[in-house]
Amino acid sequence: MAKSLGVSDWTVRRVITSLDSSFKPNYRWLPRHLAFDDFKSGKMAPSGMSMILMDIERHRTLDIILSRRNRYLRTYFLRYDRSARLAVQTVTVDLCTPYRRLIQELFPNAIILADHFHVVAQAYRALNQIRIQAMNNAGKGNSLMACAEILLETHPNPGQ
């Protein structure tokens, strides 16, 4: 962002930090369909990883949560009124088990949905492991090698 605007990284950080007070969450409301996912945020967060909180229906980012640790997330979501958390119908998240337990605790009426990208990526990794095992068992010069190369050329980026 800094490069495209022709300013320093620190200028971007200073402006974003100054805007922080303008974007206070409404702790009495949450969307019916919520999603959150972790991302590498570098020095922005103490742990280096943050969470993005989104309203799926409106395609809007609600907040950036500065940690993905369960204790931090629990404290964060408990700021919201119980009635707001009970109104959430679905939560879309990756396949991380600790998140599922936390969602069940904080959003007891919500159905937990797996993020399709993570499902496709996990399936791709599993199929790739099987492919490698089959190729290793078949040995060099086998037609499996040619098939594998064709498959990888056809779909180099799973989940897209």
Side-chain angles (χ1 to χ4, degrees):
M1 182 185 296
K3 187 182 268 185
S4 67
L5 294 172
V7 297
S8 71
D9 292 343
W10 287 106
T11 299
V12 171
R13 288 178 193 216
R14 190 177 61 251
V15 170
I16 289 173
T17 302
S18 70
L19 292 173
D20 186 47
S21 60
S22 303
F23 297 101
K24 295 286 183 199
N26 175 1
Y27 294 115
R28 291 190 274 293
W29 175 86
L30 281 166
R32 292 182 310 160
H33 305 288
L34 191 63
F36 56 90
D37 197 10
D38 51 2
F39 66 95
K40 187 172 182 172
S41 56
K43 295 178 184 177
M44 182 179 110
S47 68
M49 296 294 287
S50 297
M51 298 287 284
I52 185 167
L53 180 65
M54 296 190 63
D55 176 346
I56 293 178
E57 279 186 297
R58 293 179 181 85
H59 304 282
R60 303 225 187 256
T61 299
L62 299 173
D63 204 358
I64 302 293
I65 306 169
L66 294 179
S67 177
R68 66 177 183 169
R69 293 192 172 111
N70 269 3
R71 188 169 56 219
Y72 191 94
L73 292 171
R74 180 178 286 104
T75 301
Y76 175 86
F77 283 114
L78 286 174
R79 294 184 214 170
Y80 286 90
D81 289 346
R82 180 168 168 74
S83 60
R85 290 185 286 115
L86 291 174
V88 175
Q89 295 174 8
T90 65
V91 177
T92 303
V93 68
D94 65 22
L95 301 170
C96 183
T97 302
Y99 296 151
R100 290 195 301 249
R101 283 190 227 114
L102 183 68
I103 293 165
Q104 289 169 340
E105 175 189 333
L106 296 171
F107 308 100
N109 296 336
I111 297 169
I112 300 171
L113 303 174
D115 179 355
H116 75 279
F117 172 81
H118 291 94
V119 171
V120 170
Q122 188 173 12
Y124 175 81
R125 284 190 299 272
L127 286 171
N128 204 33
Q129 280 183 318
I130 292 168
R131 176 192 62 80
I132 290 169
Q133 286 175 348
M135 287 172 43
N136 288 339
N137 291 339
K140 292 189 179 204
N142 193 298
S143 62
L144 282 175
M145 284 288 223
C147 291
E149 289 173 7
I150 291 169
L151 285 173
L152 291 174
E153 286 175 14
T154 307
H155 299 288
N157 296 316
Q160 291 185 356

